Short mmCIF file of all heavy atoms in Angstrom, two decimals:
data_model
loop_
_atom_site.label_atom_id
_atom_site.label_comp_id
_atom_site.label_asym_id
_atom_site.label_seq_id
_atom_site.Cartn_x
_atom_site.Cartn_y
_atom_site.Cartn_z
N PHE A 1 34.83 12.52 56.51
CA PHE A 1 34.10 13.48 57.32
C PHE A 1 33.55 12.77 58.53
O PHE A 1 33.45 11.54 58.55
CB PHE A 1 32.94 14.10 56.52
CG PHE A 1 33.38 15.00 55.39
CD1 PHE A 1 33.87 14.47 54.21
CD2 PHE A 1 33.29 16.37 55.52
CE1 PHE A 1 34.27 15.30 53.17
CE2 PHE A 1 33.68 17.22 54.49
CZ PHE A 1 34.17 16.67 53.32
N ARG A 2 33.19 13.53 59.54
CA ARG A 2 32.57 12.94 60.72
C ARG A 2 31.47 13.84 61.24
O ARG A 2 31.47 15.05 61.01
CB ARG A 2 33.60 12.67 61.83
CG ARG A 2 34.20 13.93 62.44
CD ARG A 2 35.33 13.57 63.39
NE ARG A 2 35.94 14.75 63.98
CZ ARG A 2 37.06 14.74 64.69
NH1 ARG A 2 37.70 13.59 64.91
NH2 ARG A 2 37.54 15.86 65.20
N GLN A 3 30.53 13.23 61.94
CA GLN A 3 29.43 13.98 62.50
C GLN A 3 29.16 13.48 63.92
O GLN A 3 28.81 12.33 64.13
CB GLN A 3 28.17 13.82 61.65
CG GLN A 3 27.03 14.72 62.07
CD GLN A 3 25.94 14.80 61.02
OE1 GLN A 3 25.86 13.96 60.13
NE2 GLN A 3 25.11 15.82 61.12
N ALA A 4 29.34 14.38 64.87
CA ALA A 4 29.06 14.08 66.26
C ALA A 4 27.61 14.44 66.56
O ALA A 4 27.00 15.26 65.86
CB ALA A 4 30.00 14.87 67.17
N PRO A 5 27.03 13.85 67.60
CA PRO A 5 25.64 14.17 67.95
C PRO A 5 25.44 15.66 68.17
O PRO A 5 26.20 16.30 68.89
CB PRO A 5 25.42 13.38 69.24
CG PRO A 5 26.38 12.24 69.15
CD PRO A 5 27.59 12.81 68.47
N GLY A 6 24.43 16.21 67.53
CA GLY A 6 24.11 17.61 67.68
C GLY A 6 25.00 18.57 66.92
O GLY A 6 24.85 19.78 67.07
N LYS A 7 25.92 18.05 66.12
CA LYS A 7 26.84 18.90 65.39
C LYS A 7 26.71 18.69 63.89
O LYS A 7 26.18 17.68 63.44
CB LYS A 7 28.29 18.64 65.82
CG LYS A 7 28.59 18.99 67.27
CD LYS A 7 30.06 18.79 67.59
CE LYS A 7 30.38 19.19 69.02
NZ LYS A 7 31.82 19.00 69.32
N GLU A 8 27.23 19.64 63.14
CA GLU A 8 27.26 19.52 61.69
C GLU A 8 28.35 18.55 61.27
O GLU A 8 29.34 18.35 61.97
CB GLU A 8 27.52 20.89 61.05
CG GLU A 8 26.46 21.93 61.33
CD GLU A 8 25.16 21.63 60.62
OE1 GLU A 8 25.20 21.05 59.52
OE2 GLU A 8 24.11 21.99 61.17
N ARG A 9 28.15 17.94 60.12
CA ARG A 9 29.18 17.09 59.56
C ARG A 9 30.40 17.93 59.21
O ARG A 9 30.28 19.00 58.60
CB ARG A 9 28.64 16.38 58.31
CG ARG A 9 29.52 15.25 57.82
CD ARG A 9 28.83 14.47 56.70
NE ARG A 9 27.58 13.88 57.14
CZ ARG A 9 26.81 13.10 56.39
NH1 ARG A 9 27.19 12.81 55.14
NH2 ARG A 9 25.68 12.62 56.87
N GLU A 10 31.57 17.47 59.61
CA GLU A 10 32.78 18.25 59.44
C GLU A 10 33.87 17.46 58.72
O GLU A 10 33.96 16.24 58.82
CB GLU A 10 33.32 18.74 60.79
CG GLU A 10 33.82 17.63 61.70
CD GLU A 10 34.47 18.15 62.97
OE1 GLU A 10 34.71 19.38 63.07
OE2 GLU A 10 34.76 17.34 63.86
N PHE A 11 34.71 18.20 58.03
CA PHE A 11 35.83 17.62 57.32
C PHE A 11 36.87 17.10 58.29
O PHE A 11 37.19 17.74 59.29
CB PHE A 11 36.45 18.69 56.42
CG PHE A 11 37.75 18.28 55.78
CD1 PHE A 11 37.77 17.41 54.70
CD2 PHE A 11 38.94 18.79 56.24
CE1 PHE A 11 38.96 17.04 54.11
CE2 PHE A 11 40.14 18.44 55.65
CZ PHE A 11 40.14 17.56 54.58
N VAL A 12 37.43 15.93 57.99
CA VAL A 12 38.49 15.34 58.79
C VAL A 12 39.79 15.26 58.00
O VAL A 12 40.83 15.74 58.44
CB VAL A 12 38.10 13.94 59.30
CG1 VAL A 12 39.26 13.30 60.06
CG2 VAL A 12 36.86 14.02 60.18
N ALA A 13 39.75 14.63 56.84
CA ALA A 13 40.96 14.43 56.04
C ALA A 13 40.60 14.24 54.59
O ALA A 13 39.51 13.76 54.26
CB ALA A 13 41.74 13.21 56.55
N GLY A 14 41.52 14.58 53.70
CA GLY A 14 41.33 14.39 52.28
C GLY A 14 42.61 13.92 51.63
O GLY A 14 43.70 14.13 52.16
N ILE A 15 42.47 13.28 50.47
CA ILE A 15 43.62 12.76 49.75
C ILE A 15 43.36 12.86 48.25
O ILE A 15 42.25 12.60 47.79
CB ILE A 15 43.95 11.32 50.18
CG1 ILE A 15 45.27 10.84 49.59
CG2 ILE A 15 42.80 10.37 49.82
CD1 ILE A 15 45.79 9.57 50.25
N SER A 16 44.38 13.24 47.50
CA SER A 16 44.25 13.41 46.07
C SER A 16 44.20 12.06 45.36
O SER A 16 44.44 11.01 45.96
CB SER A 16 45.41 14.25 45.53
OG SER A 16 46.66 13.62 45.78
N ARG A 17 43.92 12.10 44.07
CA ARG A 17 43.73 10.88 43.29
C ARG A 17 44.87 9.89 43.41
O ARG A 17 44.65 8.69 43.61
CB ARG A 17 43.53 11.22 41.81
CG ARG A 17 42.20 11.85 41.46
CD ARG A 17 42.14 12.11 39.97
NE ARG A 17 43.09 13.15 39.56
CZ ARG A 17 43.48 13.36 38.32
NH1 ARG A 17 43.01 12.61 37.33
NH2 ARG A 17 44.33 14.34 38.04
N SER A 18 46.08 10.40 43.28
CA SER A 18 47.25 9.54 43.32
C SER A 18 47.75 9.27 44.74
O SER A 18 48.62 8.42 44.93
CB SER A 18 48.38 10.16 42.51
OG SER A 18 48.84 11.35 43.12
N GLY A 19 47.22 9.99 45.71
CA GLY A 19 47.70 9.90 47.07
C GLY A 19 48.85 10.83 47.38
O GLY A 19 49.37 10.81 48.50
N GLY A 20 49.24 11.66 46.43
CA GLY A 20 50.39 12.52 46.60
C GLY A 20 50.17 13.73 47.49
O GLY A 20 51.14 14.31 47.98
N SER A 21 48.92 14.11 47.70
CA SER A 21 48.60 15.26 48.54
C SER A 21 47.57 14.86 49.57
O SER A 21 46.59 14.18 49.24
CB SER A 21 48.05 16.42 47.70
OG SER A 21 49.01 16.86 46.75
N THR A 22 47.79 15.26 50.81
CA THR A 22 46.85 14.98 51.88
C THR A 22 46.53 16.26 52.64
O THR A 22 47.33 17.20 52.68
CB THR A 22 47.41 13.93 52.86
OG1 THR A 22 48.66 14.39 53.38
CG2 THR A 22 47.62 12.60 52.15
N TYR A 23 45.36 16.26 53.26
CA TYR A 23 44.85 17.44 53.96
C TYR A 23 44.16 16.99 55.23
O TYR A 23 43.47 15.96 55.24
CB TYR A 23 43.88 18.21 53.07
CG TYR A 23 44.44 18.52 51.70
CD1 TYR A 23 44.30 17.62 50.66
CD2 TYR A 23 45.11 19.71 51.47
CE1 TYR A 23 44.84 17.89 49.40
CE2 TYR A 23 45.65 19.99 50.22
CZ TYR A 23 45.51 19.08 49.19
OH TYR A 23 46.03 19.35 47.95
N TYR A 24 44.31 17.77 56.30
CA TYR A 24 43.73 17.42 57.58
C TYR A 24 43.16 18.64 58.27
O TYR A 24 43.70 19.75 58.15
CB TYR A 24 44.78 16.80 58.51
CG TYR A 24 45.41 15.55 57.97
CD1 TYR A 24 46.60 15.60 57.24
CD2 TYR A 24 44.84 14.30 58.21
CE1 TYR A 24 47.18 14.45 56.75
CE2 TYR A 24 45.42 13.15 57.72
CZ TYR A 24 46.59 13.23 56.99
OH TYR A 24 47.17 12.08 56.50
N THR A 25 42.09 18.43 58.99
CA THR A 25 41.62 19.48 59.88
C THR A 25 42.58 19.58 61.06
O THR A 25 43.23 18.60 61.44
CB THR A 25 40.18 19.19 60.35
OG1 THR A 25 39.65 20.35 61.00
CG2 THR A 25 40.13 18.02 61.30
N ASP A 26 42.70 20.77 61.62
CA ASP A 26 43.72 21.02 62.63
C ASP A 26 43.63 20.08 63.83
O ASP A 26 44.65 19.67 64.40
CB ASP A 26 43.63 22.47 63.13
CG ASP A 26 44.15 23.47 62.12
OD1 ASP A 26 44.85 23.06 61.18
OD2 ASP A 26 43.86 24.66 62.28
N SER A 27 42.43 19.71 64.22
CA SER A 27 42.25 18.93 65.43
C SER A 27 42.78 17.50 65.34
O SER A 27 42.95 16.84 66.37
CB SER A 27 40.78 18.91 65.84
OG SER A 27 39.99 18.25 64.86
N VAL A 28 43.05 17.01 64.13
CA VAL A 28 43.53 15.64 63.98
C VAL A 28 44.95 15.55 63.45
O VAL A 28 45.50 14.45 63.35
CB VAL A 28 42.60 14.80 63.08
CG1 VAL A 28 41.16 14.90 63.56
CG2 VAL A 28 42.71 15.22 61.62
N LYS A 29 45.56 16.68 63.13
CA LYS A 29 46.91 16.67 62.60
C LYS A 29 47.87 16.04 63.60
O LYS A 29 47.84 16.34 64.79
CB LYS A 29 47.37 18.09 62.27
CG LYS A 29 46.71 18.67 61.04
CD LYS A 29 47.21 20.09 60.76
CE LYS A 29 46.56 20.65 59.52
NZ LYS A 29 46.99 22.06 59.27
N GLY A 30 48.71 15.16 63.11
CA GLY A 30 49.65 14.46 63.96
C GLY A 30 49.11 13.20 64.58
O GLY A 30 49.87 12.41 65.15
N ARG A 31 47.80 12.98 64.49
CA ARG A 31 47.17 11.80 65.07
C ARG A 31 46.54 10.89 64.02
O ARG A 31 46.55 9.68 64.17
CB ARG A 31 46.09 12.20 66.08
CG ARG A 31 46.62 13.01 67.25
CD ARG A 31 45.55 13.19 68.33
NE ARG A 31 44.39 13.93 67.83
CZ ARG A 31 43.15 13.45 67.79
NH1 ARG A 31 42.90 12.22 68.23
NH2 ARG A 31 42.16 14.20 67.33
N PHE A 32 45.97 11.49 62.97
CA PHE A 32 45.29 10.73 61.93
C PHE A 32 46.13 10.73 60.66
O PHE A 32 46.81 11.72 60.35
CB PHE A 32 43.93 11.34 61.60
CG PHE A 32 42.88 11.20 62.68
CD1 PHE A 32 43.20 10.77 63.96
CD2 PHE A 32 41.56 11.50 62.38
CE1 PHE A 32 42.22 10.65 64.93
CE2 PHE A 32 40.58 11.39 63.34
CZ PHE A 32 40.90 10.96 64.62
N THR A 33 46.04 9.66 59.91
CA THR A 33 46.70 9.56 58.62
C THR A 33 45.75 8.98 57.59
O THR A 33 45.19 7.90 57.79
CB THR A 33 47.95 8.67 58.69
OG1 THR A 33 48.87 9.19 59.66
CG2 THR A 33 48.66 8.64 57.33
N ILE A 34 45.55 9.71 56.50
CA ILE A 34 44.74 9.21 55.40
C ILE A 34 45.66 8.63 54.33
O ILE A 34 46.74 9.17 54.07
CB ILE A 34 43.84 10.32 54.82
CG1 ILE A 34 42.86 9.75 53.78
CG2 ILE A 34 44.66 11.46 54.24
CD1 ILE A 34 41.80 10.75 53.32
N SER A 35 45.26 7.53 53.74
CA SER A 35 46.03 6.91 52.68
C SER A 35 45.08 6.20 51.73
O SER A 35 43.89 6.04 52.03
CB SER A 35 47.07 5.94 53.25
OG SER A 35 46.45 4.88 53.96
N ARG A 36 45.60 5.78 50.60
CA ARG A 36 44.77 5.04 49.66
C ARG A 36 45.60 4.02 48.91
O ARG A 36 46.81 4.17 48.73
CB ARG A 36 44.07 6.00 48.67
CG ARG A 36 44.99 6.72 47.71
CD ARG A 36 44.24 7.82 46.96
NE ARG A 36 43.18 7.30 46.12
CZ ARG A 36 42.20 8.03 45.60
NH1 ARG A 36 42.15 9.35 45.86
NH2 ARG A 36 41.26 7.47 44.84
#
């Protein structure tokens, strides 16, 4: 998650236990990669 000044904390990316499923907020898709 991330929190910018004056804004609410927002979801950025998520990953399942095994790493088999990943999730991204629209604004970072194609730019950010979550892994474990």
Side-chain angles (χ1 to χ4, degrees):
F1 292 76
R2 67 188 179 190
Q3 188 166 18
K7 295 184 178 180
E8 298 290 328
R9 192 172 300 183
E10 66 174 351
F11 171 76
V12 176
I15 189 166
S16 60
R17 288 180 293 163
S18 67
S21 299
T22 57
Y23 308 88
Y24 300 93
T25 191
D26 286 344
S27 64
V28 308
K29 288 180 179 177
R31 300 189 298 119
F32 290 12
T33 302
I34 187 171
S35 62
R36 67 191 297 165

